[in-house]
Amino acid sequence: MQTPSIKRSLFLLSFLFTGVLVAQDKPLGNETVIVVKPYTPSVNDAFKIKETPVLGDSVSLEKKPIKYSIFSVPVASTFTPSKGRATKVEKDKRIKLYDNYITLGFGTYSNVLAEFYSNLEISKSDNFGVYLTHNSSQGGIEDVRLDDTFYDTELNLNYSSRNKKSSWNTELGLQHQLFNWYGLPEQTRLTNELVTGIDPQQNYFSGSLGGELELYDSFLNKASANYRYFGDSYDSAEHNFKADGAFEVNIADELISTKVFADVLSGKFDKGYNDPNELNYSQMIFGITPSLLILRDDLTLNLGASFVYGLDTENSDNSFYIYPQVTASYRLAGDFFIPYAGLEGSLSQNTYYNFAQENPYVSPTLNISPTDKSYDAYVGAKGKLTNSIGYNLKGGYTSEINKELFLANLSNPSSTEDYAYGNSFGVVYDDINTLSFSGEINVDVNRDFKLGLNGSFFSYNSEFEAETWNLPEMKASLFMDYQITEKWFAGANLFYTGERKDREETIDGGGALGSRTITLDGFTDLNANLGYRFNDQLSIFAKGNNLLGDNYERWSNFPVQGIQVMAGATYKFDYN
């Protein structure tokens, strides 16, 4: 058995020889060592050994190529340069968003404005919303002989859901509107006693139910369906169902999209304006629009066509239409100058609901028929003059067959209906070609002040009617939005509508009823608002409408309210 001193000596020798091997430039050869007798180590003899012992594998090591990677670890640093510091970027204060708000406002003419909105988070992906709005006035227009009150109340319920692959929403809407046919002609033969007996009130009732589905990773991009019921206090009823779907597919790096749509309408009126018989209408429109989108550097080209089938089931009439759907734009100078052009067309469904929303003083005796927009050709240019000034210029020519026009009704002596005294409007149709020019400019003076101006000019050519009734030759508007300070904000809107043509009934010396063409003056309307925000939740506002005080007539014999001022408050909140 080896003593501890022998073990230490052998260890020292192994260590020294290992050091020699490591120091060699090339590997040593193998040699045989014969041990004759047990070796008795001493310090002096250790340096006299001339033989190299055989090394085991555990000692002979081969150099390996070194492979390494840097593992970066972020290190906090408080170092600040002493000779310079970056300019701090001004940040807007983060605005807290609330799920609910309520607005109340009161003004002249006993005007009332009320709004309530609430968004309830059912889950991380689902939301339920409620929106209720009311706008009313007790009237009081100067020199009006009939009641001129109105109100408009609407309730909207919606449910939406969103996930990684799709989103959908459903919506239920209910609406009640009240208007009055207060626009009696000036040359009326009605006595005060007869006028007192007229009840000019008209109520509109509307209910709608619809939904929309959007798929993110499917050739079916979007699909929607909507049903609307519309009626009034004269037993009129209208049913309108719409559905459409959009399909998209990429072939050879080109996007091919197809839209299919259906618009089914049916309704009735209790009688015609000069006809005691019931009026019924039923229109069906079905169509498909395939298109190819081509993107080439700065060129965007959309090539498509609409194939539409229209069916008038009430009159057993049907027609097939083909409309161009071609648009193109080219970035000639980046975002500064983008010329564009288009040639499009459509078959548009006219409805009692749409007519009543545009002109609430129509009589419940209308002829409902679709409008064939054979083509709408236009060219234009848009872009920006600077980073804060944008523009859009456009010229177009449109051909429309069976274009709807509002025309004042003449008195109907054979009727006792409250809308039959020349105080309502009917609808006539004409084939109209329209040449138009328009332009708009938007200016972001800074992040707090925005300004916009737009104007349109029209020249009409009608086929059958003497005039293009109630279509203006010019429209223009100017808007401004200004965040004065962090607390104060203001806005204004000035709009102008040019002259329109309508007819006015006349009575000759023998009491015979006739009519003549009149020109309604153009009018300018200035609206403005001013508000103060106490905090993220509470703000107050004051706003004025028709601040120029012009009792103009948007529709013949229907003057509007004069200067209107309203004040109110808005409060935002969360339930929790």
Side-chain angles (χ1 to χ4, degrees):
M1 183 178 219
Q2 292 178 330
T3 63
S5 60
I6 295 176
K7 291 181 178 180
R8 286 194 297 270
S9 299
L10 291 175
F11 175 78
L12 179 61
L13 287 172
S14 299
F15 178 79
L16 291 175
F17 279 115
T18 301
V20 173
L21 289 172
V22 172
Q24 294 294 325
D25 292 334
K26 59 183 179 179
L28 297 177
N30 295 328
E31 293 188 18
T32 302
V33 178
I34 301 176
V35 179
V36 178
K37 63 177 181 178
Y39 177 68
T40 303
S42 65
V43 175
N44 291 331
D45 291 341
F47 294 97
K48 294 181 181 180
I49 293 185
K50 303 298 183 183
E51 301 291 340
T52 302
V54 177
L55 299 178
D57 291 339
S58 62
V59 178
S60 179
L61 300 178
E62 205 175 302
K63 286 186 177 182
K64 302 288 184 181
I66 299 175
K67 296 181 180 180
Y68 64 92
S69 61
I70 299 174
F71 177 69
S72 299
V73 178
V75 179
S77 174
T78 57
F79 172 74
T80 303
S82 58
K83 293 186 179 181
R85 182 173 297 179
T87 302
K88 293 183 178 180
V89 177
E90 183 179 351
K91 296 182 179 180
D92 290 334
K93 182 181 177 181
R94 186 174 181 178
I95 300 176
K96 177 176 173 56
L97 300 178
Y98 292 91
D99 291 333
N100 318 280
Y101 79 86
I102 185 170
T103 297
L104 287 175
F106 303 92
T108 55
Y109 295 94
S110 300
N111 292 349
V112 177
L113 172 66
E115 289 184 3
F116 171 73
Y117 175 78
S118 179
N119 179 67
L120 304 176
E121 185 176 347
I122 307 301
S123 65
K124 291 184 178 180
S125 60
D126 294 11
N127 289 80
F128 176 72
V130 179
Y131 178 66
L132 176 64
T133 178
H134 172 83
N135 186 19
S136 64
S137 173
Q138 297 305 309
I141 301 175
E142 188 177 355
D143 297 330
V144 169
R145 303 174 67 184
L146 297 175
D147 186 10
D148 60 328
T149 62
F150 80 89
Y151 72 78
D152 186 352
T153 302
E154 184 175 1
L155 173 65
N156 182 279
L157 307 176
N158 63 82
Y159 191 96
S160 62
S161 179
R162 179 184 296 271
N163 55 51
K164 293 182 179 180
K165 294 184 178 180
S166 65
S167 65
W168 60 268
N169 68 79
T170 58
E171 186 173 304
L172 171 66
L174 301 172
Q175 187 177 23
H176 178 207
Q177 299 170 295
L178 183 151
F179 292 93
N180 284 276
W181 292 295
Y182 62 85
L184 287 175
E186 292 183 2
Q187 297 188 26
T188 181
R189 298 167 294 178
L190 305 180
T191 63
N192 290 333
E193 182 180 0
L194 185 56
V195 170
T196 305
I198 297 176
D199 180 11
Q201 188 178 110
Q202 168 68 302
N203 289 275
Y204 295 121
F205 309 97
S206 177
S208 63
L209 177 64
E212 183 179 83
L213 171 66
E214 182 176 0
L215 302 177
Y216 303 139
D217 298 319
S218 173
F219 71 97
L220 174 59
N221 188 21
K222 280 185 179 181
S224 65
N226 179 270
Y227 165 78
R228 179 186 297 278
Y229 166 81
F230 185 68
D232 60 24
S233 52
Y234 284 79
D235 296 327
S236 305
E238 180 178 78
H239 306 272
N240 187 203
F241 175 77
K242 294 181 180 180
D244 62 70
F247 302 85
E248 291 184 352
V249 60
N250 284 292
I251 299 178
D253 296 330
E254 306 293 354
L255 179 63
I256 298 177
S257 63
T258 302
K259 180 180 179 181
V260 294
F261 55 91
D263 192 335
V264 180
L265 177 74
S266 67
K268 73 174 185 67
F269 295 107
D270 188 53
K271 64 178 69 175
Y273 193 77
N274 295 302
D275 185 356
N277 298 316
E278 184 177 271
L279 289 180
N280 294 280
Y281 56 95
S282 179
Q283 306 286 342
M284 297 184 182
I285 298 175
F286 304 96
I288 181 171
T289 305
S291 63
L292 170 65
L293 179 63
I294 299 175
L295 301 175
R296 295 290 185 274
D297 297 327
D298 295 323
L299 174 66
T300 300
L301 179 62
N302 188 73
L303 302 175
S306 284
F307 303 91
V308 181
Y309 176 72
L311 176 63
D312 183 350
T313 59
E314 192 66 31
N315 298 308
S316 301
D317 186 22
N318 63 86
S319 300
F320 182 75
Y321 308 85
I322 300 178
Y323 299 105
Q325 302 291 342
V326 180
T327 61
S329 65
Y330 185 76
R331 293 180 177 272
L332 191 60
D335 292 334
F336 292 93
F337 183 64
I338 306 173
Y340 63 89
L343 181 62
E344 301 175 277
S346 64
L347 183 63
S348 303
Q349 189 81 278
N350 292 314
T351 66
Y352 182 30
Y353 172 79
N354 291 336
F355 287 157
Q357 299 309 301
E358 184 176 356
N359 182 351
Y361 311 113
V362 292
S363 62
T365 59
L366 305 179
N367 177 26
I368 306 295
S369 182
T371 296
D372 171 17
K373 183 182 288 186
S374 301
Y375 60 86
D376 178 11
Y378 57 87
V379 294
K382 60 183 178 179
K384 56 185 183 180
L385 300 177
T386 67
N387 289 331
S388 60
I389 302 178
Y391 68 91
N392 188 2
L393 302 174
K394 180 181 178 182
Y397 187 81
T398 304
S399 176
E400 296 174 281
I401 299 174
N402 216 38
K403 166 71 174 176
E404 75 282 359
L405 301 170
F406 294 107
L407 181 63
N409 286 324
L410 301 179
S411 297
N412 183 2
S414 63
S415 175
T416 58
E417 298 291 353
D418 296 308
Y419 55 78
Y421 298 93
N423 56 332
S424 64
F425 289 83
V427 173
V428 295
Y429 296 88
D430 198 358
D431 297 346
I432 298 176
N433 296 326
T434 305
L435 178 65
S436 63
F437 298 95
S438 63
E440 64 176 304
I441 186 168
N442 296 288
V443 182
D444 292 341
V445 179
N446 52 48
R447 66 171 61 185
D448 297 324
F449 187 32
K450 295 178 174 57
L451 191 67
L453 173 66
N454 64 72
S456 300
F457 304 87
F458 308 95
S459 176
Y460 307 102
N461 182 19
S462 59
E463 182 71 21
F464 306 111
E465 296 290 327
E467 300 288 348
T468 51
W469 309 112
N470 281 293
L471 293 182
E473 296 181 350
M474 177 184 175
K475 285 184 177 181
S477 66
L478 171 69
F479 76 89
M480 180 269 291
D481 186 17
Y482 185 29
Q483 184 69 41
I484 305 173
T485 66
E486 184 179 352
K487 300 289 186 180
W488 289 95
F489 57 92
N493 183 285
L494 177 70
F495 65 87
Y496 172 79
T497 300
E499 294 181 345
R500 290 93 59 220
K501 302 289 186 180
D502 206 332
R503 69 178 178 186
E504 179 182 69
E505 63 181 36
T506 59
I507 303 173
D508 61 20
L513 185 66
S515 68
R516 66 178 180 181
T517 299
I518 61 171
T519 299
L520 299 176
D521 294 333
F523 60 87
T524 303
D525 197 326
L526 173 62
N527 306 310
N529 66 84
L530 177 67
Y532 181 80
R533 186 178 297 109
F534 290 98
N535 49 50
D536 289 342
Q537 291 184 267
L538 180 63
S539 62
I540 58 175
F541 65 87
K543 65 178 183 177
N545 295 326
N546 196 16
L547 293 178
L548 300 179
D550 184 10
N551 288 88
Y552 60 84
E553 295 181 357
R554 172 63 184 90
W555 304 102
S556 177
N557 298 318
F558 283 83
V560 301
Q561 294 177 349
I563 298 177
Q564 306 153 47
V565 179
M566 175 178 286
T570 297
Y571 180 70
K572 305 174 185 178
F573 62 95
D574 288 331
Y575 289 119
N576 50 11

